[in-house]
Amino acid sequence: MFLGLDIGTSGVKAMLVDEAFATIAVAQAPLTVSRPHPGWSEQDPQDWIAACEAAIAEIAGAHGDALAKLQAIGLSGHMHGATLLDASDTPLRPCIMWNDGRSGQQCLDLETRADFRGIGGNIVMAGFTAPKLLWVAENEPEIFEKTAKVLLPKDFVRLWLTGEHVAEMSDAAGTLWLDVANRQWSDALLEATGLTREAMPALVEGSDVSGILRAELAETWGVPRVPVAGGGGDNAATACGMGVTAPGTGFLSLGTSGVLFAVTDRYAPNTDEAVHAFCHALPDVWHQMGVILSATDSLSWLSEISGRTPANLASLLPARIEAPSGLGFLPYLSGERTPHNNPDATGAYLGLRRVTQLPDLVQATMEGVSMAFADCVRALRLAGTEIEAAYAVGGGARSDQWLSIMAAITGLTLLKPVDGDFGAAFGAAKLAAACATGDISAAVFAPPNADREIAPDADLAAQYAPFHELYRKSYGDLAAWQSGR
């Protein structure tokens, strides 16, 4: 048996799988986010521990015999969170989360201090860990002075499990302190933030042993003292669960936000287009991500203002999409990452007429989000990564109409996996298996079977082709409108 633990923003998920990766048990425990000021987002690290205890206790209570056969534990978690510990490993303040935006000025400062783009592979954004620490140094100097270790959220859970300060490559790349090409901490990037390697955890690969489960926890849960795998950041762990671990493979996540994830055999940044370039959770592979901030959230927004559920809105469209809506939609409702890196970008509908009806807006919304994903495809290709097909996951992937629009606009062939849970907890469990067995082959990281393949419709793609350039041009026009020029 293998246990995967995923520390999510809204809850902890524990998944127990057997040696064939069949799910034996799943348990979840909720988490809350504190927002003490506008733009702030924080969590109490001890809440992660309490949630893990609750989820594992639930599995132990219902499936104790299966859990007793445990061979390894794997970890996943939301990335970029700044968890500051003193010399006794006590958190000094709440964790500053991935979606915290307070460090905008610090981002600008760090860009001038070191080659974060060249070494770290990414634009300095408020979501990353490094600018958060500079914010603490400038606004909470007494906390900064006491900081002995900086851990990512899942690595604080690892500390509780094993007593070890350890991180792995995929999550560490999201701090902006990692030399991503060479998979080691960068002294130059740390120095720019007023830190040294002494404040950093040791580094392992996601499939490596990071420590051994503490005796008291093993006794409490009725399990052996098993190894704990390095694990992965949430997107890398999801890729491991999907079997997206070799160059030429990828997934498209159509969730609240959107991610286009592609595996590479080399470090391949494209900061000009705001592509994220990270290490993967397995040795000798990297990955790129195009990220959009309002994917299904765009349809959720339309749902809120129309008084209809997202599913009801989707049902307004014909079963087969045969032509563009004729409208434009820029889905920048919460700013945008790829390719604009503009947290202040705003959205818009274009081409509205008196005869425009709600179904037109629904289709235009799906088209605009798909145009944003086409921008991600373009950005990855400019970084040298050709991607032709991707697994489609996330809530939006339940809409066949949306996937047909997405395929026509992006040019990607989209694969719908068979029903199952292939998320971050499942990927963490697979990394646990790799840790226990030493096997990082496709025997462990096999892709799911696809029960549908949505190839681009040539006629529909030809109709959409001229609209993408208009969409790209509209961003600049709207920016001028927003600024009053």
Side-chain angles (χ1 to χ4, degrees):
M1 297 290 167
F2 306 103
L3 181 66
L5 288 175
D6 176 42
I7 318 309
T9 304
S10 59
V12 164
K13 182 175 183 177
M15 176 179 281
L16 185 68
V17 304
D18 65 16
E19 61 184 6
F21 302 113
T23 300
I24 304 302
V26 175
Q28 302 187 63
L31 292 167
T32 59
V33 176
S34 172
R35 295 181 174 85
H37 300 285
W40 290 29
S41 180
E42 299 182 342
Q43 277 184 336
D44 183 345
Q46 297 298 346
D47 289 349
W48 306 330
I49 307 305
C52 286
E53 288 178 319
I56 296 171
E58 181 179 332
I59 291 178
H63 301 274
D65 291 344
L67 189 63
K69 301 175 184 177
L70 189 68
Q71 295 184 45
I73 299 171
L75 294 171
S76 172
H78 51 79
M79 297 176 66
H80 315 304
T83 310
L84 280 57
L85 308 182
D86 66 14
S88 63
D89 288 334
T90 301
L92 289 163
R93 67 172 329 283
C95 171
I96 305 177
M97 299 277 284
W98 63 273
N99 54 350
D100 187 287
R102 75 185 72 178
S103 59
Q105 181 57 53
Q106 287 73 29
C107 292
L108 299 175
D109 294 344
L110 286 179
E111 287 274 13
T112 68
R113 294 188 182 187
D115 186 13
F116 282 92
R117 298 189 183 204
I119 301 171
N122 291 274
I123 298 170
V124 182
M125 300 178 183
F128 288 93
T129 319
K132 296 178 173 69
L133 265 291
L134 188 58
W135 183 92
V136 172
E138 294 175 356
N139 293 274
E140 299 174 347
E142 70 287 355
I143 298 293
F144 188 81
E145 288 300 319
K146 294 177 183 177
T147 299
K149 289 288 182 186
V150 181
L151 296 184
L152 294 157
K154 81 174 193 314
D155 300 328
F156 182 74
V157 172
R158 185 195 320 279
L159 176 63
W160 165 66
L161 290 171
T162 68
E164 304 289 345
H165 303 100
V166 179
E168 51 71 43
M169 302 299 175
S170 68
D171 218 357
T175 64
L176 277 185
W177 293 315
L178 195 73
D179 178 339
V180 178
N182 295 302
R183 302 172 90 95
Q184 63 183 1
W185 296 120
S186 165
D187 293 320
L189 301 186
L190 286 166
E191 182 181 0
T193 327
L195 297 171
T196 68
R197 293 193 190 207
E198 291 299 312
M200 295 295 104
L203 288 170
V204 299
E205 297 290 349
S207 53
D208 288 346
V209 176
S210 68
I212 303 298
L213 184 66
R214 292 191 295 120
E216 53 266 43
L217 292 178
E219 182 178 358
T220 298
W221 299 332
V223 301
R225 293 194 65 198
V226 297
V228 176
D234 50 6
N235 283 303
T238 297
C240 289
M242 296 288 298
V244 178
T245 58
T249 59
F251 70 81
L252 186 152
S253 177
L254 193 51
T256 302
S257 59
V259 172
L260 181 62
F261 183 108
V263 183
T264 62
D265 59 1
R266 68 201 186 287
Y267 170 58
N270 178 9
T271 55
D272 288 343
E273 302 279 335
V275 169
H276 294 329
F278 294 147
C279 300
H280 208 331
L282 295 178
D284 302 320
V285 284
W286 288 256
H287 71 84
Q288 299 166 330
M289 289 192 300
V291 178
I292 68 173
L293 296 179
S294 297
T296 63
D297 199 40
S298 293
L299 197 63
S300 296
W301 165 79
L302 186 59
S303 166
E304 291 167 9
I305 65 171
S306 66
R308 295 172 179 253
T309 67
N312 179 267
L313 290 176
S315 72
L316 298 178
L317 299 187
R320 178 179 173 82
I321 304 298
E322 297 185 348
S325 67
L327 301 177
F329 174 66
L330 274 64
Y332 309 140
L333 304 180
S334 299
E336 192 55 295
R337 290 272 184 93
T338 308
H340 303 303
N341 184 34
N342 183 359
D344 298 319
T346 58
Y349 285 108
L350 306 171
L352 295 175
R353 296 178 181 271
R354 181 63 181 82
V355 295
T356 301
Q357 299 294 313
L358 185 56
D360 302 314
L361 297 180
V362 174
Q363 183 173 335
T365 300
M366 292 181 175
E367 290 167 348
V369 172
S370 300
M371 295 283 182
F373 270 106
D375 277 351
C376 292
V377 172
R378 177 180 177 274
L380 264 57
R381 286 176 175 161
L382 287 172
T385 300
E386 288 296 327
I387 180 168
E388 305 297 336
Y391 284 97
V393 297
R398 289 193 289 267
S399 169
D400 288 344
Q401 297 100 320
W402 205 339
L403 292 186
S404 68
I405 292 169
M406 184 74 69
I409 290 176
T410 63
L412 297 175
T413 295
L414 300 175
L415 310 173
K416 287 190 70 172
V418 296
D419 287 341
D421 187 341
F422 303 104
F426 184 59
K430 286 200 164 192
L431 287 163
C435 164
T437 64
D439 186 358
I440 59 172
S441 72
V444 173
F445 298 102
N449 292 323
D451 61 7
R452 282 202 59 205
E453 180 178 295
I454 300 93
D457 179 277
D459 179 63
L460 190 58
Q463 293 182 69
Y464 276 126
F467 284 98
H468 189 220
E469 283 308 310
L470 293 172
Y471 169 88
R472 290 177 55 79
K473 179 178 181 297
S474 297
Y475 167 75
D477 294 340
L478 188 63
W481 172 272
Q482 182 185 356
S483 63
R485 293 193 298 272

